[in-house]
Amino acid sequence: MCVNAPLDTPGGIIGVCRRKPVLEPESEPNMRVVVVGGVAGGMSAAARLRRRDEGAEIIVLERSKYVSFANCGLPYYVGGEIEDPAKLLLHTPQTLKAALNLDVRINSEVTEIDPAAHSVQVADTETGEAYTLTYDHLILSPGALASRPPIDGLDSPRVHTLRTVDDALALREASGTCAVVLGAGFIGIEAAEALAQRGFDTHLVEYAEHVLPPLEVEMATLVTQELRALGVRVHTGVAAQSIAHGDDRDSVTLSDGTELSADLIVLSTGVRPDTALAEAAGIETRGGYILVDDRGRTSAGDVYAVGDATVGRDHDRPVALAGPANRCGRLVADVIADAGHGDATARPIPRPQGTAIVRIGGLTAAMTGENRQALDAAGTRYFTVHTHANQHAGYFPGAKPVHILIHVGTDGQILGAQAVGADGVDRRIDVIATAMRAGLKAPDLIDLDLAYAPPYGQAKDPVNQTGMVAHNVLTGELILTGPDALTEDMPILDVRTMGEYTAGHMPNSLNIPHTQLRDRLDEVRTWVDESVGERPFVVMCAAGVRSWIGYRIVRAAGFNVTMLSGGIQTLRAWLGAKAEAVLVTGEGRA
Ligand code: FAD
């Protein structure tokens, strides 16, 4: 029932609606909920609210001309894998009206929020017409904007972003032969692959030392190799400094002096929350993000926020991903539907783990939880386990390694995990993400009863194996040296075959294959006496399996040893381009 002075709006006569019981049959709405932003978080909230409450009036205001579109699918349209752009539009205002009785208004930008008056100003982006809309509850899901670093010449018409349907349409239509993508995060990588697929000579420029900065370097090296295999030219550790506008092409100058010609430039250097509106309304923010509690409530009464524009009051970092936005939208709808009913069904919004995945050609990279940088910054004590087990039984055709790392707290807590490989990466990261959410510790991964048959996994799944290594460390049976701690002067006992050893080994190493080690312990003793001394030596192999056997043999013989985590596979990836300079070929000291 509307009780204040009505206002003329495109949707009819409106006013502030006082809430009535949800189940009371009536034609008047029991409350009005206004949603700002009609894509991931906003539309999830609106749809869930309707399912919870047939009597609410739900108005969704969307600035662009599309609602409920598949942002995550845009790069695949640019690359041509999705042919029909209509497939990216999951709903229209009409389908949403028919199915959910939502009042979805496109081309409708909210330009002002007045939390005290419980009202928003709305401007029609096509006609400029403006009107006031009051609400009982307001949900903000305005998302993020592409950040624009201070690069001279960024106003070139050849510079594109990839955030909206119109961006994707423009990129799909863009012609030429050479492209420069600035920023090698998720969207930059997807854009680079898409443009390379379309035949562009594509350069990918990243300011950080490696592509996909949230990944650890030993994982990111594999991604760089795959990008290069796709024909993408990767420049890391450099920034774009300026863009010179040309008649035929632009020229991008990098901080190392490199000049790159470009028919089109994709700016994907990160996002910033689209929160000027909320800030102007006095809603509390931190670092530009709207602060929300575990029910999605902002500092303003009856105003909720979800998605890329938010950060949890008790959380240290925002997470701009579709899953959390969708789920928070649903949770906030429950909070609103429950209001006055004692929070019957609403569940608290959990701390986001940042579980993310990306395809790079034939490779998949995925991660969950914290990375090394975040853990080091927080002063956390942890160790890292690297495994390279095959995604399925080695004897079954098509076996390929899933490179997994997990960061484990000294109390056994799984703090973060990453995986890269050609197959089976999604499953492993999802299992570990689930274990983390359930509060399982690293050794608990051993006990996970995962589906197995030779085409699908291993009787000891790669996830189980990762837990086993962590368990060995936590019980003190195994002392790991990470590739980050390995120095060129450290003594190494390399237990690979002579052939593997001669193809590349650490300079200060002794080679005794693991199958011969028990019979050649006197050689180890002589080597230790002559050149190792009191220092521990590091046992290494290709991937960590043989070195574990070797480590146990020499440790049982009383030597002071550690084991290289993940073997030379991890070390090579850690060293990246420096590997050839550090590793020695030839027989060395065998
Ligand atoms: P959005 O979904 O961005 O929706 C915000 C909407 O609010 C926009 O449509 C905007 O026009 C509207 N709006 C803003 N201000 C106003 C206003 N004042 N008035 C009216 N309307 C307004 N995430 C993944 O997890 N996996 C992926 O593979 C993935 N791929 C992606 C690929 C691309 C190209 C992009 C751009 C994003 C991708 N994401 C991915 C991120 C994911 O899309 C976002 O995390 C998610 O959409 C955030 O939801 P949101 O509701 O906060 O914002």
Side-chain angles (χ1 to χ4, degrees):
M1 176 191 296
C2 299
V3 293
N4 70 341
L7 298 160
D8 282 331
T9 75
I13 305 294
I14 57 168
V16 172
C17 298
R18 300 279 175 241
R19 185 169 179 153
K20 288 204 160 184
V22 173
L23 296 175
E24 187 178 300
E26 59 173 0
S27 52
E28 291 280 325
N30 55 45
M31 63 173 161
R32 175 181 295 146
V33 179
V34 172
V35 181
V36 182
V39 191
M43 203 48 84
S44 291
R48 171 67 174 173
L49 191 58
R50 171 58 71 230
R51 292 184 182 105
R52 289 291 314 279
D53 189 343
E54 238 342 92
E57 182 185 14
I58 305 169
I59 303 172
V60 180
L61 301 167
E62 169 52 50
R63 174 169 63 195
S64 74
K65 55 181 183 282
Y66 307 103
V67 282
S68 203
F69 64 88
N71 342 38
C72 307
L74 299 179
Y76 305 99
Y77 173 70
V78 173
E81 277 176 87
I82 297 174
E83 288 285 350
D84 180 1
K87 290 240 181 332
L88 299 168
L89 307 176
L90 309 177
H91 285 287
T92 63
Q94 293 72 30
T95 61
L96 290 162
K97 177 75 186 167
L100 291 163
N101 190 24
L102 299 179
D103 177 355
V104 177
R105 304 179 189 179
I106 54 172
N107 301 317
S108 299
E109 177 164 17
V110 174
T111 54
E112 197 182 321
I113 304 167
D114 184 342
H118 276 52
S119 72
V120 294
Q121 286 291 316
V122 189
D124 187 309
T125 56
E126 291 199 315
T127 64
E129 255 178 73
Y131 60 95
T132 303
L133 193 58
T134 54
Y135 58 80
D136 293 306
H137 298 279
L138 178 67
I139 302 173
L140 304 176
S141 191
L145 299 166
S147 62
R148 297 184 76 81
I151 300 171
D152 286 345
L154 209 56
D155 56 346
S156 165
R158 293 194 178 92
V159 175
H160 298 251
T161 53
L162 181 49
R163 288 218 56 85
T164 64
V165 175
D166 286 339
D167 289 344
L169 293 172
L171 273 170
R172 177 75 180 257
E173 277 160 22
S175 57
T177 56
C178 44
V180 175
V181 177
L182 302 179
F186 290 96
I187 295 174
I189 294 241
E190 289 175 345
E193 181 178 347
L195 293 170
Q197 258 171 8
R198 294 249 314 277
F200 280 87
D201 179 13
T202 305
H203 293 260
L204 179 61
V205 179
E206 171 55 52
Y207 176 66
E209 286 305 312
H210 58 77
V211 299
L212 277 182
L215 272 192
E216 309 304 5
V217 60
E218 62 267 40
M219 294 295 186
T221 298
L222 308 174
V223 174
T224 301
Q225 287 165 358
E226 184 69 8
L227 283 165
R228 292 196 167 127
L230 293 172
V232 175
R233 297 163 198 245
V234 179
H235 308 256
T236 52
V238 282
Q241 279 188 331
S242 62
I243 298 168
H245 302 189
D247 289 340
D248 296 330
R249 279 178 179 164
D250 285 356
S251 175
V252 182
T253 304
L254 307 186
S255 51
D256 63 357
T258 306
E259 303 254 332
L260 302 173
S261 292
D263 293 309
L264 69 91
I265 297 160
V266 180
L267 183 66
S268 51
T269 51
V271 293
R272 62 186 167 82
D274 190 356
T275 50
L277 183 69
E279 284 181 323
I283 293 171
E284 201 183 344
T285 58
R286 186 174 68 210
Y289 291 87
I290 302 171
L291 275 173
V292 291
D293 67 8
D294 68 357
R295 306 279 154 157
R297 290 178 285 231
T298 71
S299 61
D302 299 319
V303 181
Y304 303 78
V306 299
D308 287 3
T310 64
V311 65
R313 216 167 254 290
D314 303 324
H315 305 156
D316 39 14
R317 62 174 171 139
V319 169
L321 288 167
N326 275 274
R327 293 192 298 271
C328 290
R330 181 183 191 276
L331 289 173
V332 159
D334 279 347
V335 173
I336 293 171
D338 285 349
H341 299 273
D343 275 8
T345 59
R347 308 167 70 243
I349 297 170
R351 183 174 190 275
Q353 282 173 232
T355 308
I357 191 162
V358 62
R359 189 194 68 186
I360 316 100
L363 213 61
T364 303
M367 66 198 77
T368 186
E370 307 293 345
N371 65 8
R372 200 176 273 136
Q373 189 186 18
L375 293 170
D376 290 344
T380 309
R381 292 186 59 227
Y382 67 99
F383 63 92
T384 304
V385 166
H386 301 83
T387 58
H388 305 277
N390 286 331
Q391 93 283 28
H392 64 228
Y395 59 81
F396 190 83
K400 296 190 181 85
V402 186
H403 308 279
I404 300 179
L405 69 76
I406 57 170
H407 298 304
V408 182
T410 46
D411 62 351
Q413 194 189 345
I414 309 166
L415 302 168
Q418 304 189 350
V420 175
D423 189 21
V425 165
D426 48 352
R427 171 174 156 198
R428 273 58 191 219
I429 277 296
D430 280 349
V431 167
I432 298 174
T434 307
M436 287 171 69
R437 177 64 81 212
L440 299 187
K441 298 218 163 173
D444 296 325
L445 297 178
I446 301 171
D447 307 325
L448 296 181
D449 198 0
L450 304 174
Y452 162 65
Y456 299 105
Q458 297 205 44
K460 286 203 264 307
D461 190 86
V463 171
N464 299 138
Q465 294 189 33
T466 313
M468 289 169 192
V469 180
H471 179 247
N472 290 336
V473 174
L474 289 162
T475 56
E477 277 185 296
L478 172 62
I479 301 170
L480 283 177
T481 293
D484 50 331
L486 198 70
T487 57
E488 284 180 45
D489 60 345
M490 276 186 182
I492 307 273
L493 175 62
D494 192 325
V495 298
R496 294 175 298 156
T497 63
M498 168 83 86
E500 290 172 285
Y501 182 76
T502 51
H505 57 264
M506 284 296 280
N508 199 12
S509 57
L510 170 70
N511 177 222
I512 302 179
H514 75 293
T515 48
Q516 301 171 16
L517 197 51
R518 289 185 183 89
D519 299 329
R520 294 175 62 184
L521 282 172
D522 51 336
E523 289 176 51
V524 178
R525 173 75 57 205
T526 307
W527 173 64
V528 168
D529 289 345
E530 287 177 0
S531 48
V532 177
E534 297 300 309
R535 294 178 293 164
F537 62 85
V538 184
V539 185
M540 70 172 273
C541 67
V545 177
R546 287 172 285 171
S547 57
W548 172 226
I549 299 170
Y551 170 93
R552 295 303 295 174
I553 294 170
V554 289
R555 188 160 151 177
F559 290 101
N560 183 11
V561 285
T562 70
M563 190 185 104
L564 179 65
S565 183
I568 201 164
Q569 282 198 44
T570 297
L571 181 62
R572 274 188 185 280
W574 169 271
L575 292 169
K578 289 180 285 197
E580 297 320 312
V582 171
L583 299 177
V584 181
T585 52
E587 289 191 4
R589 183 176 173 165

